[in-house]
Amino acid sequence: LGDTLTAIAREKAGILRRGRPALAWVEEPEAVEALRQAAAETAADLRFAQEEAVIEGTEVEGWAGQKVRLATPVQRYDLRIALLGEHQRKNLGLAVLAAEALARNGFPRLDARAIAEGAAACRWPGRLEVVELPDGRRALLDAAHNTEGAEALARFLAGLGHPVDLLFGALADKDAGAMLATLSPHARSLVLTTPPSPRAIPPAGLVPHLGDRPGVAVEPDPAAALDRVLALGGETVVVCGSIYLIGAVRTMLRERTLTP
């Protein structure tokens, strides 16, 4: 989409339409300014969710999700979501404001009850998705494939209270070094592998990013890499670095656990 926040914001602003409402939760000043300019050029009715939605409180429910108390100019909500991570609270605020806007524009059934039911029912495969393993352990699948995604995942891992075993693979057009620098402090062991894509970085090429730290293994085949990281015996296995890798591992785990 672009190499700068401004360029990315301008590209995403292509969805704006003249005279139509639009919402964004964007906090980086340069991205905010780019969206404001695009909205002015298209005469779109752009509002920034972070100026209207207030997250008044949260309660994390372990691996099951979190409760969020949210206030908008319309009302307060006590909502439960199955999605993990603090960033999902902002996504929830954006979604609630969007539902309220739709309710004012011809969708009256989007009331507080519908919003609560919709929030509780939401699932997002591959985004801090927990897969319970038959032996009582768990795998955490997250499609963190850039530095921002790795930072969000690292914040979540920092709150776990225990290190994880990390299965990582990345594509050549991503800053794998920055991602590993962010994530590796939260891992006791790492297994590096090859996402199923012709653009994948050979896992041996990732090793220099980790210096001489111990507990690093290279296994090019994703299936063998999954076996290897599970054999480490840790409480939590985290798979990340590439959406392609997440897709392949998710299929393997679903076959093994017979989950839908």
Side-chain angles (χ1 to χ4, degrees), residues 67-82:
K67 293 179 180 178
V68 181
R69 183 168 179 80
L70 179 74
T72 74
V74 174
Q75 69 176 81
R76 281 184 168 84
Y77 300 86
D78 287 299
L79 303 172
R80 184 192 176 279
I81 55 175

Side-chain angles (χ1 to χ4, degrees), residues 125-127 142-146 169-171 174 195-196 240-250:
R127 302 284 180 168
D142 192 67
H145 61 284
N146 53 35
L171 303 188
K174 304 299 181 181
C240 65
S242 166
I243 296 174
Y244 293 93
L245 178 61
I246 289 297
V249 170
R250 189 171 190 271

Side-chain angles (χ1 to χ4, degrees), residues 144-163:
H145 61 284
N146 53 35
T147 53
E148 292 79 7
E151 289 167 359
L153 174 57
R155 287 193 295 270
F156 177 80
L157 297 180
L160 286 184
H162 65 270

Side-chain angles (χ1 to χ4, degrees), residues 133 135 137 163-168 187-192 213-218 224-238:
L133 302 176
D135 59 6
R137 298 184 296 154
V164 301
D165 294 322
L166 187 67
L167 176 57
F168 183 91
R188 64 170 194 162
S189 301
L190 297 96
V191 178
L192 307 175
R213 72 155 285 168
V216 178
V218 173
L226 177 60
D227 289 336
R228 191 160 182 172
V229 75
L230 289 174
L232 294 172
E235 180 180 344
T236 303
V237 169
V238 176

Side-chain angles (χ1 to χ4, degrees), residues 8-198:
I8 294 170
R10 293 288 300 189
E11 185 71 18
K12 288 182 175 289
I15 198 172
L16 299 178
R17 294 293 182 267
R18 180 177 298 276
R20 305 303 297 171
L23 283 161
W25 191 309
V26 179
E27 298 173 347
E28 297 81 1
E30 60 182 289
V32 168
E33 182 57 27
L35 290 177
R36 287 193 194 279
Q37 291 180 6
E41 292 166 6
T42 58
D45 179 17
L46 175 64
R47 293 151 47 208
F48 288 96
Q50 71 270 20
E51 298 174 356
E52 300 185 21
V54 178
I55 300 169
E56 296 185 330
T58 60
E59 179 184 343
V60 177
E61 299 181 308
W63 295 100
Q66 52 189 321
K67 293 179 180 178
V68 181
R69 183 168 179 80
L70 179 74
T72 74
V74 174
Q75 69 176 81
R76 281 184 168 84
Y77 300 86
D78 287 299
L79 303 172
R80 184 192 176 279
I81 55 175
L83 305 178
L84 301 173
E86 64 179 54
H87 55 290
Q88 297 295 1
R89 302 165 195 167
K90 298 178 181 179
N91 288 337
L92 176 64
L94 182 62
V96 169
L97 287 173
E100 290 178 347
L102 287 169
R104 293 191 297 269
N105 287 273
F107 295 86
R109 293 176 62 186
L110 284 174
D111 55 14
R113 178 177 177 179
I115 288 172
E117 292 177 351
C122 181
R123 300 294 184 273
W124 198 345
R127 302 284 180 168
L128 286 178
E129 179 185 11
V130 179
V131 178
E132 300 292 343
L133 302 176
D135 59 6
R137 298 184 296 154
R138 70 189 63 82
L140 184 67
L141 311 181
D142 192 67
H145 61 284
N146 53 35
T147 53
E148 292 79 7
E151 289 167 359
L153 174 57
R155 287 193 295 270
F156 177 80
L157 297 180
L160 286 184
H162 65 270
V164 301
D165 294 322
L166 187 67
L167 176 57
F168 183 91
L171 303 188
D173 60 345
K174 304 299 181 181
D175 192 346
M179 286 192 283
L180 285 170
T182 299
L183 294 168
S184 61
H186 304 284
R188 64 170 194 162
S189 301
L190 297 96
V191 178
L192 307 175
T193 192
T194 312
S197 167

